[in-house]
Amino acid sequence: MKKLKKIILLMLGFMMVFALAGCTKKNDNTYEHVKQSKTIVWGIRADTRLFGLTNIKTGKIEGFEIDLAKALTKQMLGSSAHAEFLTTTANTRIPLLKNHNVDAVLATMTITKERAKQVDFTNPYFPAGSSLLVSNSSKITNVKQLNGKTVLAVKGTTAVDDVHKYAPKAKVLQYDDYGQAMSALKAGQGVALTTDNGLLAGIAQENPGYKLVGGVYTNAPYGIAVNKGQTQMVNHLNTALAELKKNGTYNRLINKWFKGIPGFDVKELLK
């Protein structure tokens, strides 16, 4: 009898696994899921000025990507649709997506061939690229002038390799985070801080007396990421993004968050 009970329990276990697998497969279409729920759960940043940053006074996350996510949600699913947000980091955004904790990631994520092996990307929504932040009194105007000089960067970013491609004789000091790198720039330990132009714009906004120079010297646009194989979701996001650009919403959001930052050319974003 004990053996029979074990066999029956084992069979029931297999049946439950197959049933759950069937449910997972049924709900595996991200677009159909968000269409039915009228909700998109977005993975976003809460620590990146201008893109997504927690307002310490209100406790709410604010920024260009937050506003864009809300606009895309309503453009795709209707005016009654709702955008929900889950905070991610550079290390957690793909795992959260793969584990179905979020439907899409809109979090300063550069489109790369390596990442495209794990996720699918929409068309670019922000033309990011490496740039330079210098003091207003600096004579540095482009990356090639950094040869023989010290440049500041953050560990783990592509900026270190990017600088050496254009200024192979530059010395690069690397820091754990942008706060440390910016303090080093203020202390004169380097002539420029380099990373993505959008991130530098946020740093410049927070630090009067500093400006962006030289435009972008690499092409590393940001894209919205969804799970691999979710072609329908990608297509609808691309359509919604195109409509927001067509109806002026995208331009309005770009101007809202990036206009007036020293050395940052908003017109370049709107080409």
Side-chain angles (χ1 to χ4, degrees):
M1 286 296 291
K2 289 183 178 179
K3 287 184 178 181
L4 182 60
K5 286 182 178 179
K6 287 182 178 180
I7 292 171
I8 292 172
L9 289 171
L10 189 62
M11 290 177 67
L12 287 172
F14 279 122
M15 289 173 66
M16 287 179 68
V17 169
F18 284 121
L20 288 171
C23 291
T24 302
K25 188 175 181 181
K26 184 178 179 181
N27 295 324
D28 199 38
N29 188 313
T30 303
Y31 176 70
E32 289 299 325
H33 170 70
V34 300
K35 184 180 178 182
Q36 291 175 14
S37 65
K38 288 284 187 180
T39 302
I40 297 178
V41 180
W42 298 89
I44 49 89
R45 299 293 294 266
D47 59 354
T48 309
R49 185 171 292 275
L50 300 180
F51 289 89
L53 184 69
T54 301
N55 185 319
I56 59 174
K57 292 182 179 180
T58 65
K60 294 182 178 180
I61 304 173
E62 302 171 348
F64 169 69
E65 289 179 335
I66 309 305
D67 286 351
L68 183 59
K70 292 176 181 178
L72 285 167
T73 300
K74 292 187 181 298
Q75 184 66 43
M76 275 180 61
L77 305 176
S79 58
S80 62
H82 180 62
E84 292 185 359
F85 299 106
L86 185 64
T87 302
T88 66
T89 66
N91 293 326
T92 64
R93 53 194 176 188
I94 289 181
L96 286 172
L97 188 61
K98 304 298 282 185
N99 291 331
H100 303 281
N101 298 112
V102 295
D103 300 310
V105 170
L106 186 62
T108 62
M109 194 168 177
T110 302
I111 300 171
T112 67
K113 291 181 179 179
E114 195 62 33
R115 287 171 180 162
K117 295 176 182 178
Q118 302 181 70
V119 300
D120 285 338
F121 284 104
T122 63
N123 295 331
Y125 67 87
F126 190 87
S130 291
S131 188
L132 302 174
L133 183 72
V134 300
S135 69
N136 286 347
S137 60
S138 174
K139 295 181 180 180
I140 299 293
T141 58
N142 64 73
V143 67
K144 293 181 180 180
Q145 291 176 302
L146 298 177
N147 275 311
K149 296 180 173 62
T150 300
V151 191
L152 312 173
V154 169
K155 295 175 183 177
T157 65
T158 59
V160 178
D161 291 335
D162 291 340
V163 167
H164 283 146
K165 288 178 184 177
Y166 296 90
K169 295 181 180 180
K171 179 183 178 181
V172 181
L173 295 181
Q174 300 181 55
Y175 297 85
D176 290 328
D177 56 52
Y178 290 109
Q180 292 180 25
M182 189 63 203
S183 294
L185 181 62
K186 289 180 177 179
Q189 295 176 25
V191 297
L193 169 61
T194 183
T195 190
D196 291 353
N197 57 335
L199 300 182
L200 288 180
I203 296 171
Q205 185 193 55
E206 195 177 16
N207 294 275
Y210 291 83
K211 63 183 179 180
L212 278 75
V213 295
V216 294
Y217 59 90
T218 64
N219 182 36
Y222 298 154
I224 302 167
V226 301
N227 261 321
K228 199 71 179 172
Q230 294 298 330
T231 305
Q232 198 173 6
M233 185 68 172
V234 171
N235 290 341
H236 280 279
L237 283 169
N238 280 334
T239 299
L241 181 59
E243 285 298 319
L244 293 181
K245 289 184 176 182
K246 185 178 179 180
N247 66 27
T249 301
Y250 179 85
N251 288 21
R252 177 176 59 79
L253 295 180
I254 286 290
N255 279 301
K256 173 184 176 181
W257 291 102
F258 298 98
K259 189 174 181 180
I261 295 173
F264 194 87
D265 190 355
V266 171
K267 293 180 180 178
E268 286 293 318
L269 300 180
L270 302 178
K271 282 184 176 179

